[in-house]
Amino acid sequence: MSLPMSVVSCVASDSGSESAAEEDIDVQGVIFGHIGDAYEWHITDIGDRSISIPLPVIVKSSTGWHCFLSSRLEDGAVYEGLFISESEKNSGKIVEIDSSGNEVRPLDISITKNVFALMINSTILVALILCCSRWYRRHDALKEAPKGVAALLEPVIAMINDDVIKDSVGPGYQKFAPYLLTVFFFILINNLMGIVPFFPGGANITGNITITFVLAFITFLLTNLTTNRYYWKDIFCPEVPFWLKPILIVIEVFGMFTKPFALMLRLFANIMAGHCLILCVVVMIFITAKLGVLIGGSMTVVSVVFGIFMDCLELLVAFIQAYVFTMLSAVFIGLSRERPQEEKGR
């Protein structure tokens, strides 16, 4: 979704040298280097100098706990027996060498780029909600229109609450509204911050399958722990001929897990694909640069225009993905609480 300035400067610095001009650009390395996690936050390159923010490394190795800044491990350095691996199995991860000479990953709870970005974005979310609630505590909403952050958030909150949560969950939707509204704004803010091309934006948060797994897992728990007896009856004792029961039970149990799995993959795949597409568009500038002034110049213009268009499109995608995840979560919760028609009529 985003194109941090560090990516452009990194590719530009590589392609600006004579050796890089004669070699093919490592497109895969550029793309996965951006969407992947790291122990530092790379800002940009100035000549041969890399500007980055070192982040805390917190690991427990065979020699105990270690806490230091990631700058200690720059350029393949070894610090306190730890280093960043370049092997295929542990690429980019902190490892140590065991007694057999093999790389071993220690317990790693470091503040990586994605973790740091998650902290920043969560702080922004909390600040926005507190600013909104502060206005309502100090003003009478029945006598004056909201202003500032409250004016920005109120129509969005009302739309998600009334048109999505209330309609999808049904009676008793109020106790699910805090979670679903939090999920919506959490995903939206992380998506939007991913589009920002400079620090503290540009991190691939919702394009990280770990984040989407946690969100989908919480929806899974809410769906199956707040349901009623009719939900389990439809799964384990459906009203069908006896010979069909085993088949339907397997299908229904399988469906319990495929719903959150689809939530996880949909958000992850769409956001990560947006990141990759924009990066591919920009890298085309440097790939075609050695083909001549005419072709290189033309592709530069096309790439820049298309890249700007894609960034604008990602603004819409950021909202749509947050909306879809929230809507489907509300639908799954609502379906698990659905009662038979005769019960509804009482």
Side-chain angles (χ1 to χ4, degrees), residues 67 75 88 206 231 240 263 285 309 332:
C67 184
D75 302 323
E88 183 177 352
T206 42
Y231 174 75
V240 296
L263 277 180
I285 297 174
F309 169 76
F332 295 157

Side-chain angles (χ1 to χ4, degrees), residues 39-57:
Y39 291 98
E40 63 178 11
W41 196 312
H42 186 259
I43 305 299
T44 188
D45 288 330
I46 301 178
D48 295 332
R49 184 184 177 188
S50 177
I51 307 298
S52 61
I53 300 175
L55 299 174
V57 172

Side-chain angles (χ1 to χ4, degrees), residues 39 57 59 73 82-84 92-96 105-106 108 110:
Y39 291 98
V57 172
V59 298
L73 302 178
L82 302 169
F83 61 95
I84 297 179
K93 303 298 182 181
I94 292 179
V95 297
E96 61 177 337
R105 289 190 60 187
D108 191 347
S110 303

Side-chain angles (χ1 to χ4, degrees), residues 30-302:
V30 171
I31 293 176
F32 285 97
H34 167 63
I35 65 176
D37 206 355
Y39 291 98
E40 63 178 11
W41 196 312
H42 186 259
I43 305 299
T44 188
D45 288 330
I46 301 178
D48 295 332
R49 184 184 177 188
S50 177
I51 307 298
S52 61
I53 300 175
L55 299 174
V57 172
I58 307 172
V59 298
K60 183 182 181 182
S61 68
S62 58
T63 58
W65 285 97
H66 304 266
C67 184
F68 52 87
L69 290 179
S70 60
S71 55
R72 298 279 189 176
L73 302 178
E74 288 181 352
D75 302 323
V78 179
Y79 184 75
E80 296 181 354
L82 302 169
F83 61 95
I84 297 179
S85 174
E86 296 181 357
S87 65
E88 183 177 352
K89 180 181 179 181
N90 301 312
S91 179
K93 303 298 182 181
I94 292 179
V95 297
E96 61 177 337
I97 301 297
D98 62 8
S99 57
S100 302
N102 300 318
E103 290 185 355
V104 179
R105 289 190 60 187
L107 175 63
D108 191 347
I109 55 172
S110 303
I111 307 299
T112 61
K113 177 182 176 181
N114 283 347
V115 174
F116 189 40
L118 190 59
M119 292 177 176
I120 294 174
N121 298 344
S122 298
T123 302
I124 293 174
L125 172 60
V126 172
L128 289 175
I129 298 302
L130 290 179
C131 288
C132 183
S133 63
R134 180 185 179 186
W135 188 92
Y136 282 100
R137 287 196 306 269
R138 298 186 175 186
H139 300 82
D140 187 351
L142 299 178
K143 296 182 179 179
E144 55 182 309
K147 296 180 180 179
V149 176
L152 177 66
L153 296 184
E154 181 181 336
V156 181
I157 293 174
M159 178 192 70
I160 299 299
N161 185 72
D162 297 339
D163 298 339
V164 177
I165 301 174
K166 184 177 180 180
D167 291 345
S168 300
V169 177
Y173 73 93
Q174 294 88 346
K175 63 181 180 180
F176 299 99
Y179 163 70
L180 293 171
L181 284 169
T182 301
V183 164
F184 173 80
F185 283 105
F186 175 81
I187 295 174
L188 179 62
I189 289 175
N190 279 285
N191 288 350
L192 293 176
M193 288 297 291
I195 301 174
V196 178
F198 48 82
F199 180 82
N204 182 36
I205 302 299
T206 42
N208 186 315
I209 199 166
T210 305
I211 301 298
T212 60
F213 168 79
V214 172
L215 295 176
F217 183 68
I218 296 174
T219 296
F220 172 78
L221 292 180
L222 281 178
T223 301
N224 292 280
L225 297 182
T226 63
T227 184
N228 55 40
R229 66 180 186 275
Y230 302 107
Y231 174 75
W232 298 112
K233 179 180 179 295
D234 289 339
I235 292 177
F236 294 106
C237 190
E239 296 180 357
V240 296
F242 179 78
W243 62 274
L244 275 179
K245 286 183 183 291
I247 300 175
L248 284 182
I249 290 174
V250 172
I251 293 175
E252 291 293 340
V253 171
F254 184 70
M256 288 173 54
F257 297 96
T258 56
K259 290 175 183 177
F261 184 75
L263 277 180
M264 175 186 71
L265 282 187
R266 178 182 287 106
L267 179 60
F268 159 72
N270 280 282
I271 301 303
M272 189 184 69
H275 279 269
C276 294
L277 182 58
I278 292 181
L279 287 169
C280 288
V281 168
V282 174
V283 169
M284 283 295 297
I285 297 174
F286 304 98
I287 294 177
T288 59
K290 57 184 179 182
L291 299 180
V293 176
L294 181 60
I295 297 178
S298 301
M299 286 305 301
T300 297
V301 174
V302 172

